[in-house]
Amino acid sequence: QVQLVESGGGLVQAGGSLRLSCAASGRTFSNYFMGWFRQVPGKEREFVAAISRIGGSIYSGSVKGRFTISRDNAKNTLYLQMNSLKPEDAAVYYCAGVRALIRPRPERPDEYDYWGQGTQVTVSY
């Protein structure tokens, strides 16, 4: 199995930027389809973005144009560059992975087998 560890969360003012990282270990990272999700208390986990093994990406409508998902297979790391942050982007952000080329419904959490512990993002007004 693969182990995932997120980092890079923190407090940022609205309009600011953060870059999240997700370090993978244990298996060949390049074999994994990866995603970012977020969750606030009392709500379901929400899809943010996903990226295929070769770099094809998709985004939720709420972050498209502001966030960029990327991966460095040589460094076994997934990234989420978040720009123009809004207070409603505040959440715990999770990276997720599944050993697959593609996923039919990448926006669904149950399409992924492995999850990190999450990193908190707080956006102040």
Side-chain angles (χ1 to χ4, degrees), residues 15-66:
S17 298
L18 279 176
R19 188 176 81 156
L20 305 183
S21 298
C22 172
S25 62
R27 285 291 185 265
T28 305
F29 176 70
S30 59
N31 288 337
Y32 284 76
F33 185 96
M34 300 296 297
W36 285 101
F37 289 76
R38 64 188 182 187
Q39 190 170 24
V40 297
K43 292 191 175 182
E44 293 186 353
R45 197 160 291 191
E46 177 191 15
F47 172 74
V48 175
I51 188 167
S52 72
R53 288 159 53 172
I54 57 173
S57 59
I58 61 170
Y59 297 89
S60 73
S62 62
V63 308
K64 193 171 185 179
R66 299 188 298 123

Side-chain angles (χ1 to χ4, degrees), residues 8-9 12 16-20 38 48 66-68 80-85 89 93 121:
V12 63
S17 298
L18 279 176
R19 188 176 81 156
L20 305 183
R38 64 188 182 187
V48 175
R66 299 188 298 123
F67 290 12
T68 302
L80 185 69
Q81 177 67 43
M82 306 187 295
N83 298 329
S84 303
L85 281 160
D89 294 318
Y93 281 72
V121 172

Side-chain angles (χ1 to χ4, degrees), residues 1-2 27-34 53 96-103 111-114:
Q1 63 181 22
V2 64
R27 285 291 185 265
T28 305
F29 176 70
S30 59
N31 288 337
Y32 284 76
F33 185 96
M34 300 296 297
R53 288 159 53 172
V98 57
R99 194 178 189 281
L101 179 61
I102 59 172
R103 300 310 295 160
E111 291 277 2
Y112 300 83
D113 293 330
Y114 303 102

